[in-house]
Amino acid sequence: LINFQGHFFFLFKTKNQRESAFLIPYILFLIIAGMPLFYMELALGQYNREGAATVWKICPVFKGVGYAVILIALYVGFYYNVIIAWSLYYLFSSFTFELPWTNCHNSWNSPNCTDPKLFNASVLGNGTKYSKYKLTPAAEFYERGVLHLHESRGIHDLGLPRWQLSLCLLVVVIILFFSLWKGVKTSGKVVWITATLPYVVLFVLLIHGITLPGAYNGINAYLHIDFRRLKEATVWIDAATQIFYSLGAGFGVLIAFASYNKFDNNCYRDALLTSTINCVTSFISGFAIFSILGYMAHEHKVKIEDVATEGAGLVFILYPEAISTLSGSTFWAVVFFIMLLTLGIDSSMGGMEAVITGLADDFHLLKQHRKLFTFGVSFGTFLLALFCITNGGIYVLTLLDTFAAGTSILFAVLMEAIGVSWFYGVDRFSEDIQQMMGFKPGLYWRLCWKFVSPAFLLFVVIVSIINFKPLTYDDYTFPLWANRIGWGIALSSMVLVPAYIIYKFMNVRGTFKERLAYCITPENEHQLVAQGNVRQFKVCTPFTCFFS
């Protein structure tokens, strides 16, 4: 699994925490939370052969967690495909002898557009960073030529969808539909291309990047560590969030795909190997990007932190601008955006498969008409994504990107860890794994599942709420009502967990004790509850649980 959003999110955070110890908490959280939860989801899906919702037959009261992650994956699909559509638009625009973001002589350019060949540090003035200078041809192509952001006054003034981006979005959705309509029979074949081609392209870009002048300075900035920054909570929060974006834990993707594995597949090996390769890929891609940052800083004679930008600007402004200065720029642009396109399709396929498998396994009518259901999901995401390709669409995209899968996904993974480890039980879960692979998980994994990972997730959820700041995009501050809508989106998935707990408890018969027993006992053992054999739970310390 390669995660398109995860890798560039990693690059943004390492850039944003430049001269920090970002990699230290990143590696720590990978070991104590990322890998254990990745392993848990693979084993959960493979043993139960179910999607994100119906997998909770092991503890019916937690089925709301499944619905929550499905809704989160659906939200992400609304705007994720738009980013892929941008990549496709850039790819089409690259098939020219002169890339359209290299000069100021285009219809979308403003009168103040600055030719990068004439640029020097004195042009900035007032301490403005180069990354914030929006009058370069690359910046104007992105914001004025692609987004048409200058025609919007804010999130209250969206305008109509841009027809060029609408066509690109339609192409992306059609590709996704035909990749998913027959399930893993088609998506498994497509992934061979979308998951391997980016590695080839990344290697080529890396080798070329490190040969550029100034590349060493960029790589040195990437690897520089300031241990004093470990005192800052944002460093730890950024690292924790990145782990889940990189590995895809909590989005229902791992459970969905693992449900198609052979029952005796070694998911322990898969968890270690895949999570390691994924995070190493993110780390290596940093060299490819920061070598370019060093090159750009060298070309414009500014500091590296002045050219480093964040979010989409890194991918759609800075890197295209750097490519335009290289010999054979058209070739490099085509190669780069093919990589983005394949990475994006690969990740989007995973998210949509989580939605489709999760709901189809729960509602047999949808499973019987999978092709029609897949079309409905694809077409639905297309319609709602149209809001993100209007003149002010970047504001909608920023809102969704911040709230749809931020605190809500961390909360969902927390509840998943509690449901499996504390209600279904680590011992029972370990026995399931032994049935599949012939051996039980070691003490380390069981400790992480029951204590370390839930504690870590609870800490991250609390701190992410406490540290929340009103949403902004560059110099634009979102109005209060937009922030409230954002929290409404976040809560719409989170509330499904307690709502389903109440629904389940109220819809089973019996005494209070029997209702509780039915809610927390695996469905295949409900006959024991009917006989009065209610499961008993005991409170224990790590010592008594694992060493008694």
Side-chain angles (χ1 to χ4, degrees), residues 5-18 20 22 132 222 238 241-242 282 285-286 289-290 293 308-315 401:
Q5 189 178 21
H7 292 329
F8 286 102
F9 190 80
F10 175 86
L11 300 175
F12 159 53
K13 290 305 177 184
T14 49
K15 180 282 303 177
N16 200 37
Q17 303 296 345
R18 198 188 77 83
S20 77
F22 174 83
K132 298 297 182 182
Y222 177 51
D238 289 343
T241 308
Q242 167 54 29
S282 290
S285 63
I289 296 296
F290 273 80
L293 293 180
T309 185
E310 59 187 65
L314 176 64
V315 185
D401 187 41

PDB file of all heavy atoms in Angstrom, residues 5-18 20 22 132 222 238 241-242 282 285-286 289-290 293 308-315 401:
ATOM      1  N   GLN A   5      -1.766  10.717  -0.146  1.00  0.00           N
ATOM      2  CA  GLN A   5      -1.903  11.819   0.777  1.00  0.00           C
ATOM      3  C   GLN A   5      -0.900  11.691   1.909  1.00  0.00           C
ATOM      4  O   GLN A   5      -0.326  12.678   2.372  1.00  0.00           O
ATOM      5  CB  GLN A   5      -3.327  11.825   1.351  1.00  0.00           C
ATOM      6  CG  GLN A   5      -3.643  13.060   2.166  1.00  0.00           C
ATOM      7  CD  GLN A   5      -5.069  13.041   2.673  1.00  0.00           C
ATOM      8  OE1 GLN A   5      -5.701  11.989   2.753  1.00  0.00           O
ATOM      9  NE2 GLN A   5      -5.588  14.184   3.024  1.00  0.00           N
ATOM     10  N   GLY A   6      -0.675  10.460   2.345  1.00  0.00           N
ATOM     11  CA  GLY A   6       0.236  10.235   3.455  1.00  0.00           C
ATOM     12  C   GLY A   6       1.638  10.706   3.180  1.00  0.00           C
ATOM     13  O   GLY A   6       2.274  11.339   4.020  1.00  0.00           O
ATOM     14  N   HIS A   7       2.183  10.414   1.998  1.00  0.00           N
ATOM     15  CA  HIS A   7       3.556  10.789   1.695  1.00  0.00           C
ATOM     16  C   HIS A   7       3.730  12.300   1.644  1.00  0.00           C
ATOM     17  O   HIS A   7       4.683  12.844   2.193  1.00  0.00           O
ATOM     18  CB  HIS A   7       3.995  10.169   0.368  1.00  0.00           C
ATOM     19  CG  HIS A   7       4.111   8.673   0.425  1.00  0.00           C
ATOM     20  ND1 HIS A   7       4.464   8.022   1.579  1.00  0.00           N
ATOM     21  CD2 HIS A   7       3.904   7.710  -0.509  1.00  0.00           C
ATOM     22  CE1 HIS A   7       4.485   6.714   1.344  1.00  0.00           C
ATOM     23  NE2 HIS A   7       4.136   6.503   0.092  1.00  0.00           N
ATOM     24  N   PHE A   8       2.811  12.997   0.995  1.00  0.00           N
ATOM     25  CA  PHE A   8       2.980  14.437   0.895  1.00  0.00           C
ATOM     26  C   PHE A   8       2.617  15.128   2.201  1.00  0.00           C
ATOM     27  O   PHE A   8       3.135  16.198   2.504  1.00  0.00           O
ATOM     28  CB  PHE A   8       2.167  14.991  -0.277  1.00  0.00           C
ATOM     29  CG  PHE A   8       2.804  14.651  -1.589  1.00  0.00           C
ATOM     30  CD1 PHE A   8       2.314  13.617  -2.360  1.00  0.00           C
ATOM     31  CD2 PHE A   8       3.918  15.334  -2.024  1.00  0.00           C
ATOM     32  CE1 PHE A   8       2.920  13.271  -3.559  1.00  0.00           C
ATOM     33  CE2 PHE A   8       4.526  14.993  -3.216  1.00  0.00           C
ATOM     34  CZ  PHE A   8       4.028  13.958  -3.984  1.00  0.00           C
ATOM     35  N   PHE A   9       1.743  14.518   3.000  1.00  0.00           N
ATOM     36  CA  PHE A   9       1.481  15.020   4.339  1.00  0.00           C
ATOM     37  C   PHE A   9       2.755  14.900   5.172  1.00  0.00           C
ATOM     38  O   PHE A   9       3.101  15.791   5.938  1.00  0.00           O
ATOM     39  CB  PHE A   9       0.344  14.217   4.974  1.00  0.00           C
ATOM     40  CG  PHE A   9      -0.179  14.794   6.253  1.00  0.00           C
ATOM     41  CD1 PHE A   9      -1.066  15.859   6.219  1.00  0.00           C
ATOM     42  CD2 PHE A   9       0.185  14.272   7.475  1.00  0.00           C
ATOM     43  CE1 PHE A   9      -1.571  16.398   7.403  1.00  0.00           C
ATOM     44  CE2 PHE A   9      -0.297  14.797   8.646  1.00  0.00           C
ATOM     45  CZ  PHE A   9      -1.183  15.852   8.617  1.00  0.00           C
ATOM     46  N   PHE A  10       3.481  13.812   4.997  1.00  0.00           N
ATOM     47  CA  PHE A  10       4.748  13.609   5.681  1.00  0.00           C
ATOM     48  C   PHE A  10       5.744  14.708   5.300  1.00  0.00           C
ATOM     49  O   PHE A  10       6.419  15.279   6.153  1.00  0.00           O
ATOM     50  CB  PHE A  10       5.320  12.236   5.303  1.00  0.00           C
ATOM     51  CG  PHE A  10       6.692  11.965   5.874  1.00  0.00           C
ATOM     52  CD1 PHE A  10       6.812  11.436   7.143  1.00  0.00           C
ATOM     53  CD2 PHE A  10       7.831  12.233   5.144  1.00  0.00           C
ATOM     54  CE1 PHE A  10       8.070  11.178   7.676  1.00  0.00           C
ATOM     55  CE2 PHE A  10       9.081  11.975   5.665  1.00  0.00           C
ATOM     56  CZ  PHE A  10       9.206  11.450   6.931  1.00  0.00           C
ATOM     57  N   LEU A  11       5.808  15.000   4.000  1.00  0.00           N
ATOM     58  CA  LEU A  11       6.741  16.025   3.539  1.00  0.00           C
ATOM     59  C   LEU A  11       6.383  17.392   4.103  1.00  0.00           C
ATOM     60  O   LEU A  11       7.253  18.169   4.478  1.00  0.00           O
ATOM     61  CB  LEU A  11       6.734  16.087   2.007  1.00  0.00           C
ATOM     62  CG  LEU A  11       7.140  14.791   1.320  1.00  0.00           C
ATOM     63  CD1 LEU A  11       6.990  14.929  -0.183  1.00  0.00           C
ATOM     64  CD2 LEU A  11       8.554  14.421   1.684  1.00  0.00           C
ATOM     65  N   PHE A  12       5.099  17.691   4.178  1.00  0.00           N
ATOM     66  CA  PHE A  12       4.673  18.964   4.744  1.00  0.00           C
ATOM     67  C   PHE A  12       5.061  19.058   6.209  1.00  0.00           C
ATOM     68  O   PHE A  12       5.582  20.066   6.671  1.00  0.00           O
ATOM     69  CB  PHE A  12       3.157  19.134   4.586  1.00  0.00           C
ATOM     70  CG  PHE A  12       2.549  20.120   5.544  1.00  0.00           C
ATOM     71  CD1 PHE A  12       3.061  21.404   5.647  1.00  0.00           C
ATOM     72  CD2 PHE A  12       1.485  19.764   6.341  1.00  0.00           C
ATOM     73  CE1 PHE A  12       2.500  22.313   6.538  1.00  0.00           C
ATOM     74  CE2 PHE A  12       0.928  20.662   7.221  1.00  0.00           C
ATOM     75  CZ  PHE A  12       1.440  21.940   7.319  1.00  0.00           C
ATOM     76  N   LYS A  13       4.834  17.990   6.969  1.00  0.00           N
ATOM     77  CA  LYS A  13       5.100  18.049   8.397  1.00  0.00           C
ATOM     78  C   LYS A  13       6.589  18.122   8.690  1.00  0.00           C
ATOM     79  O   LYS A  13       7.009  18.821   9.591  1.00  0.00           O
ATOM     80  CB  LYS A  13       4.481  16.836   9.113  1.00  0.00           C
ATOM     81  CG  LYS A  13       2.954  16.885   9.133  1.00  0.00           C
ATOM     82  CD  LYS A  13       2.450  18.178   9.744  1.00  0.00           C
ATOM     83  CE  LYS A  13       0.933  18.247   9.700  1.00  0.00           C
ATOM     84  NZ  LYS A  13       0.414  19.529  10.187  1.00  0.00           N
ATOM     85  N   THR A  14       7.403  17.378   7.939  1.00  0.00           N
ATOM     86  CA  THR A  14       8.835  17.461   8.172  1.00  0.00           C
ATOM     87  C   THR A  14       9.347  18.822   7.768  1.00  0.00           C
ATOM     88  O   THR A  14      10.257  19.368   8.375  1.00  0.00           O
ATOM     89  CB  THR A  14       9.597  16.378   7.386  1.00  0.00           C
ATOM     90  OG1 THR A  14       9.152  16.391   6.031  1.00  0.00           O
ATOM     91  CG2 THR A  14       9.370  15.025   7.975  1.00  0.00           C
ATOM     92  N   LYS A  15       8.736  19.405   6.732  1.00  0.00           N
ATOM     93  CA  LYS A  15       9.099  20.764   6.341  1.00  0.00           C
ATOM     94  C   LYS A  15       8.669  21.745   7.417  1.00  0.00           C
ATOM     95  O   LYS A  15       9.411  22.626   7.837  1.00  0.00           O
ATOM     96  CB  LYS A  15       8.431  21.098   5.005  1.00  0.00           C
ATOM     97  CG  LYS A  15       8.698  22.487   4.443  1.00  0.00           C
ATOM     98  CD  LYS A  15       7.927  23.616   5.042  1.00  0.00           C
ATOM     99  CE  LYS A  15       6.450  23.419   4.951  1.00  0.00           C
ATOM    100  NZ  LYS A  15       5.731  24.535   5.634  1.00  0.00           N
ATOM    101  N   ASN A  16       7.425  21.568   7.882  1.00  0.00           N
ATOM    102  CA  ASN A  16       6.878  22.508   8.843  1.00  0.00           C
ATOM    103  C   ASN A  16       7.600  22.431  10.177  1.00  0.00           C
ATOM    104  O   ASN A  16       7.667  23.405  10.915  1.00  0.00           O
ATOM    105  CB  ASN A  16       5.387  22.213   9.050  1.00  0.00           C
ATOM    106  CG  ASN A  16       4.634  23.382   9.628  1.00  0.00           C
ATOM    107  OD1 ASN A  16       4.907  24.525   9.287  1.00  0.00           O
ATOM    108  ND2 ASN A  16       3.690  23.079  10.502  1.00  0.00           N
ATOM    109  N   GLN A  17       8.133  21.253  10.486  1.00  0.00           N
ATOM    110  CA  GLN A  17       8.883  21.080  11.719  1.00  0.00           C
ATOM    111  C   GLN A  17      10.380  21.038  11.414  1.00  0.00           C
ATOM    112  O   GLN A  17      11.145  20.336  12.051  1.00  0.00           O
ATOM    113  CB  GLN A  17       8.451  19.768  12.412  1.00  0.00           C
ATOM    114  CG  GLN A  17       6.976  19.678  12.725  1.00  0.00           C
ATOM    115  CD  GLN A  17       6.513  20.723  13.713  1.00  0.00           C
ATOM    116  OE1 GLN A  17       7.330  21.341  14.376  1.00  0.00           O
ATOM    117  NE2 GLN A  17       5.225  20.947  13.792  1.00  0.00           N
ATOM    118  N   ARG A  18      10.790  21.791  10.402  1.00  0.00           N
ATOM    119  CA  ARG A  18      12.190  21.822  10.025  1.00  0.00           C
ATOM    120  C   ARG A  18      13.025  22.227  11.231  1.00  0.00           C
ATOM    121  O   ARG A  18      12.626  23.042  12.054  1.00  0.00           O
ATOM    122  CB  ARG A  18      12.412  22.825   8.880  1.00  0.00           C
ATOM    123  CG  ARG A  18      13.711  22.619   8.142  1.00  0.00           C
ATOM    124  CD  ARG A  18      13.964  23.737   7.159  1.00  0.00           C
ATOM    125  NE  ARG A  18      14.430  24.936   7.817  1.00  0.00           N
ATOM    126  CZ  ARG A  18      15.684  25.162   8.161  1.00  0.00           C
ATOM    127  NH1 ARG A  18      16.596  24.249   7.949  1.00  0.00           N
ATOM    128  NH2 ARG A  18      16.029  26.298   8.740  1.00  0.00           N
ATOM    129  N   SER A  20      13.577  20.324  13.624  1.00  0.00           N
ATOM    130  CA  SER A  20      12.878  19.754  14.771  1.00  0.00           C
ATOM    131  C   SER A  20      13.230  18.289  14.878  1.00  0.00           C
ATOM    132  O   SER A  20      13.978  17.751  14.066  1.00  0.00           O
ATOM    133  CB  SER A  20      11.365  19.907  14.612  1.00  0.00           C
ATOM    134  OG  SER A  20      10.887  18.947  13.695  1.00  0.00           O
ATOM    135  N   PHE A  22      11.076  15.877  14.522  1.00  0.00           N
ATOM    136  CA  PHE A  22       9.849  15.245  14.025  1.00  0.00           C
ATOM    137  C   PHE A  22      10.029  13.748  13.820  1.00  0.00           C
ATOM    138  O   PHE A  22       9.142  12.957  14.138  1.00  0.00           O
ATOM    139  CB  PHE A  22       9.430  15.908  12.708  1.00  0.00           C
ATOM    140  CG  PHE A  22       8.265  15.242  12.036  1.00  0.00           C
ATOM    141  CD1 PHE A  22       6.972  15.529  12.420  1.00  0.00           C
ATOM    142  CD2 PHE A  22       8.464  14.328  11.006  1.00  0.00           C
ATOM    143  CE1 PHE A  22       5.893  14.925  11.798  1.00  0.00           C
ATOM    144  CE2 PHE A  22       7.396  13.720  10.385  1.00  0.00           C
ATOM    145  CZ  PHE A  22       6.105  14.026  10.787  1.00  0.00           C
ATOM    146  N   LYS A 132       5.432  32.290  -0.051  1.00  0.00           N
ATOM    147  CA  LYS A 132       4.196  33.054   0.105  1.00  0.00           C
ATOM    148  C   LYS A 132       4.022  34.090  -1.010  1.00  0.00           C
ATOM    149  O   LYS A 132       3.017  34.815  -1.019  1.00  0.00           O
ATOM    150  CB  LYS A 132       4.185  33.763   1.469  1.00  0.00           C
ATOM    151  CG  LYS A 132       4.216  32.818   2.663  1.00  0.00           C
ATOM    152  CD  LYS A 132       2.977  31.940   2.717  1.00  0.00           C
ATOM    153  CE  LYS A 132       2.987  31.040   3.944  1.00  0.00           C
ATOM    154  NZ  LYS A 132       1.800  30.138   3.979  1.00  0.00           N
ATOM    155  N   TYR A 222      16.645  18.780   5.793  1.00  0.00           N
ATOM    156  CA  TYR A 222      15.670  17.707   6.017  1.00  0.00           C
ATOM    157  C   TYR A 222      16.077  16.833   7.204  1.00  0.00           C
ATOM    158  O   TYR A 222      15.227  16.402   7.999  1.00  0.00           O
ATOM    159  CB  TYR A 222      15.574  16.877   4.742  1.00  0.00           C
ATOM    160  CG  TYR A 222      14.660  15.671   4.803  1.00  0.00           C
ATOM    161  CD1 TYR A 222      13.353  15.783   5.249  1.00  0.00           C
ATOM    162  CD2 TYR A 222      15.104  14.419   4.376  1.00  0.00           C
ATOM    163  CE1 TYR A 222      12.505  14.686   5.282  1.00  0.00           C
ATOM    164  CE2 TYR A 222      14.269  13.318   4.399  1.00  0.00           C
ATOM    165  CZ  TYR A 222      12.975  13.455   4.855  1.00  0.00           C
ATOM    166  OH  TYR A 222      12.142  12.357   4.878  1.00  0.00           O
ATOM    167  N   ASP A 238       1.656  16.214  15.159  1.00  0.00           N
ATOM    168  CA  ASP A 238       1.906  16.063  13.723  1.00  0.00           C
ATOM    169  C   ASP A 238       2.418  14.662  13.402  1.00  0.00           C
ATOM    170  O   ASP A 238       2.011  14.039  12.424  1.00  0.00           O
ATOM    171  CB  ASP A 238       2.929  17.106  13.252  1.00  0.00           C
ATOM    172  CG  ASP A 238       2.347  18.508  13.232  1.00  0.00           C
ATOM    173  OD1 ASP A 238       1.112  18.636  13.255  1.00  0.00           O
ATOM    174  OD2 ASP A 238       3.139  19.467  13.188  1.00  0.00           O
ATOM    175  N   THR A 241      -0.506  12.070  13.864  1.00  0.00           N
ATOM    176  CA  THR A 241      -1.478  12.135  12.774  1.00  0.00           C
ATOM    177  C   THR A 241      -0.915  11.541  11.500  1.00  0.00           C
ATOM    178  O   THR A 241      -1.606  10.831  10.760  1.00  0.00           O
ATOM    179  CB  THR A 241      -1.895  13.603  12.527  1.00  0.00           C
ATOM    180  OG1 THR A 241      -2.312  14.185  13.759  1.00  0.00           O
ATOM    181  CG2 THR A 241      -3.030  13.677  11.527  1.00  0.00           C
ATOM    182  N   GLN A 242       0.355  11.809  11.236  1.00  0.00           N
ATOM    183  CA  GLN A 242       0.976  11.314  10.013  1.00  0.00           C
ATOM    184  C   GLN A 242       1.019   9.797   9.954  1.00  0.00           C
ATOM    185  O   GLN A 242       0.869   9.198   8.890  1.00  0.00           O
ATOM    186  CB  GLN A 242       2.397  11.879   9.882  1.00  0.00           C
ATOM    187  CG  GLN A 242       3.261  11.208   8.830  1.00  0.00           C
ATOM    188  CD  GLN A 242       2.611  11.196   7.467  1.00  0.00           C
ATOM    189  OE1 GLN A 242       1.819  12.098   7.168  1.00  0.00           O
ATOM    190  NE2 GLN A 242       2.928  10.215   6.650  1.00  0.00           N
ATOM    191  N   SER A 282       7.931   7.048   2.560  1.00  0.00           N
ATOM    192  CA  SER A 282       7.690   8.438   2.942  1.00  0.00           C
ATOM    193  C   SER A 282       9.005   9.130   3.262  1.00  0.00           C
ATOM    194  O   SER A 282       9.244  10.275   2.856  1.00  0.00           O
ATOM    195  CB  SER A 282       6.761   8.504   4.163  1.00  0.00           C
ATOM    196  OG  SER A 282       5.461   8.119   3.837  1.00  0.00           O
ATOM    197  N   SER A 285      11.078   9.648   0.058  1.00  0.00           N
ATOM    198  CA  SER A 285      10.508  10.680  -0.800  1.00  0.00           C
ATOM    199  C   SER A 285      10.878  12.070  -0.303  1.00  0.00           C
ATOM    200  O   SER A 285      10.906  13.031  -1.080  1.00  0.00           O
ATOM    201  CB  SER A 285       8.987  10.524  -0.872  1.00  0.00           C
ATOM    202  OG  SER A 285       8.396  10.705   0.403  1.00  0.00           O
ATOM    203  N   GLY A 286      11.170  12.179   0.987  1.00  0.00           N
ATOM    204  CA  GLY A 286      11.631  13.456   1.528  1.00  0.00           C
ATOM    205  C   GLY A 286      12.930  13.920   0.893  1.00  0.00           C
ATOM    206  O   GLY A 286      13.135  15.119   0.673  1.00  0.00           O
ATOM    207  N   ILE A 289      12.114  15.474  -2.511  1.00  0.00           N
ATOM    208  CA  ILE A 289      11.506  16.794  -2.414  1.00  0.00           C
ATOM    209  C   ILE A 289      12.499  17.824  -1.879  1.00  0.00           C
ATOM    210  O   ILE A 289      12.617  18.930  -2.415  1.00  0.00           O
ATOM    211  CB  ILE A 289      10.256  16.746  -1.510  1.00  0.00           C
ATOM    212  CG1 ILE A 289       9.186  15.842  -2.126  1.00  0.00           C
ATOM    213  CG2 ILE A 289       9.703  18.145  -1.289  1.00  0.00           C
ATOM    214  CD1 ILE A 289       8.637  16.333  -3.442  1.00  0.00           C
ATOM    215  N   PHE A 290      13.224  17.484  -0.811  1.00  0.00           N
ATOM    216  CA  PHE A 290      14.106  18.478  -0.208  1.00  0.00           C
ATOM    217  C   PHE A 290      15.339  18.760  -1.057  1.00  0.00           C
ATOM    218  O   PHE A 290      15.954  19.823  -0.923  1.00  0.00           O
ATOM    219  CB  PHE A 290      14.501  18.044   1.207  1.00  0.00           C
ATOM    220  CG  PHE A 290      13.518  18.496   2.243  1.00  0.00           C
ATOM    221  CD1 PHE A 290      12.331  17.808   2.443  1.00  0.00           C
ATOM    222  CD2 PHE A 290      13.756  19.630   2.998  1.00  0.00           C
ATOM    223  CE1 PHE A 290      11.412  18.227   3.372  1.00  0.00           C
ATOM    224  CE2 PHE A 290      12.847  20.062   3.937  1.00  0.00           C
ATOM    225  CZ  PHE A 290      11.668  19.363   4.133  1.00  0.00           C
ATOM    226  N   LEU A 293      13.959  21.494  -2.993  1.00  0.00           N
ATOM    227  CA  LEU A 293      13.894  22.715  -2.185  1.00  0.00           C
ATOM    228  C   LEU A 293      15.268  23.379  -2.108  1.00  0.00           C
ATOM    229  O   LEU A 293      15.377  24.611  -2.208  1.00  0.00           O
ATOM    230  CB  LEU A 293      13.387  22.396  -0.778  1.00  0.00           C
ATOM    231  CG  LEU A 293      11.936  21.932  -0.628  1.00  0.00           C
ATOM    232  CD1 LEU A 293      11.612  21.672   0.835  1.00  0.00           C
ATOM    233  CD2 LEU A 293      10.981  22.961  -1.196  1.00  0.00           C
ATOM    234  N   ALA A 308      10.243  26.666   1.149  1.00  0.00           N
ATOM    235  CA  ALA A 308       9.406  25.534   1.578  1.00  0.00           C
ATOM    236  C   ALA A 308       7.979  25.997   1.793  1.00  0.00           C
ATOM    237  O   ALA A 308       7.725  26.919   2.561  1.00  0.00           O
ATOM    238  CB  ALA A 308       9.964  24.923   2.866  1.00  0.00           C
ATOM    239  N   THR A 309       7.064  25.382   1.106  1.00  0.00           N
ATOM    240  CA  THR A 309       5.648  25.716   1.247  1.00  0.00           C
ATOM    241  C   THR A 309       4.910  24.526   1.817  1.00  0.00           C
ATOM    242  O   THR A 309       5.489  23.476   2.064  1.00  0.00           O
ATOM    243  CB  THR A 309       5.047  26.126  -0.116  1.00  0.00           C
ATOM    244  OG1 THR A 309       3.703  26.563   0.080  1.00  0.00           O
ATOM    245  CG2 THR A 309       5.057  24.963  -1.097  1.00  0.00           C
ATOM    246  N   GLU A 310       3.624  24.672   2.031  1.00  0.00           N
ATOM    247  CA  GLU A 310       2.872  23.623   2.702  1.00  0.00           C
ATOM    248  C   GLU A 310       1.688  23.157   1.873  1.00  0.00           C
ATOM    249  O   GLU A 310       1.231  23.835   0.958  1.00  0.00           O
ATOM    250  CB  GLU A 310       2.370  24.132   4.050  1.00  0.00           C
ATOM    251  CG  GLU A 310       1.478  25.339   3.939  1.00  0.00           C
ATOM    252  CD  GLU A 310       1.137  25.928   5.293  1.00  0.00           C
ATOM    253  OE1 GLU A 310       2.037  26.419   5.973  1.00  0.00           O
ATOM    254  OE2 GLU A 310      -0.047  25.884   5.659  1.00  0.00           O
ATOM    255  N   GLY A 311       1.200  21.955   2.214  1.00  0.00           N
ATOM    256  CA  GLY A 311       0.004  21.425   1.567  1.00  0.00           C
ATOM    257  C   GLY A 311       0.168  21.258   0.068  1.00  0.00           C
ATOM    258  O   GLY A 311       1.209  20.841  -0.442  1.00  0.00           O
ATOM    259  N   ALA A 312      -0.891  21.617  -0.663  1.00  0.00           N
ATOM    260  CA  ALA A 312      -0.903  21.439  -2.111  1.00  0.00           C
ATOM    261  C   ALA A 312       0.122  22.312  -2.806  1.00  0.00           C
ATOM    262  O   ALA A 312       0.576  21.999  -3.899  1.00  0.00           O
ATOM    263  CB  ALA A 312      -2.301  21.748  -2.653  1.00  0.00           C
ATOM    264  N   GLY A 313       0.510  23.423  -2.173  1.00  0.00           N
ATOM    265  CA  GLY A 313       1.496  24.313  -2.789  1.00  0.00           C
ATOM    266  C   GLY A 313       2.818  23.636  -3.063  1.00  0.00           C
ATOM    267  O   GLY A 313       3.499  23.952  -4.042  1.00  0.00           O
ATOM    268  N   LEU A 314       3.192  22.695  -2.207  1.00  0.00           N
ATOM    269  CA  LEU A 314       4.443  21.968  -2.415  1.00  0.00           C
ATOM    270  C   LEU A 314       4.392  21.138  -3.683  1.00  0.00           C
ATOM    271  O   LEU A 314       5.359  21.060  -4.439  1.00  0.00           O
ATOM    272  CB  LEU A 314       4.703  21.058  -1.200  1.00  0.00           C
ATOM    273  CG  LEU A 314       5.913  20.136  -1.277  1.00  0.00           C
ATOM    274  CD1 LEU A 314       7.193  20.949  -1.349  1.00  0.00           C
ATOM    275  CD2 LEU A 314       5.953  19.198  -0.080  1.00  0.00           C
ATOM    276  N   VAL A 315       3.234  20.525  -3.938  1.00  0.00           N
ATOM    277  CA  VAL A 315       3.087  19.605  -5.058  1.00  0.00           C
ATOM    278  C   VAL A 315       2.722  20.315  -6.355  1.00  0.00           C
ATOM    279  O   VAL A 315       3.189  19.939  -7.429  1.00  0.00           O
ATOM    280  CB  VAL A 315       2.012  18.542  -4.732  1.00  0.00           C
ATOM    281  CG1 VAL A 315       1.925  17.504  -5.841  1.00  0.00           C
ATOM    282  CG2 VAL A 315       2.311  17.876  -3.402  1.00  0.00           C
ATOM    283  N   ASP A 401     -10.663  18.670   4.349  1.00  0.00           N
ATOM    284  CA  ASP A 401      -9.372  18.078   4.662  1.00  0.00           C
ATOM    285  C   ASP A 401      -9.031  18.227   6.140  1.00  0.00           C
ATOM    286  O   ASP A 401      -8.389  17.366   6.735  1.00  0.00           O
ATOM    287  CB  ASP A 401      -8.289  18.724   3.799  1.00  0.00           C
ATOM    288  CG  ASP A 401      -6.949  18.033   3.943  1.00  0.00           C
ATOM    289  OD1 ASP A 401      -6.919  16.788   3.995  1.00  0.00           O
ATOM    290  OD2 ASP A 401      -5.917  18.727   4.021  1.00  0.00           O
TER     291      ASP A 401
END
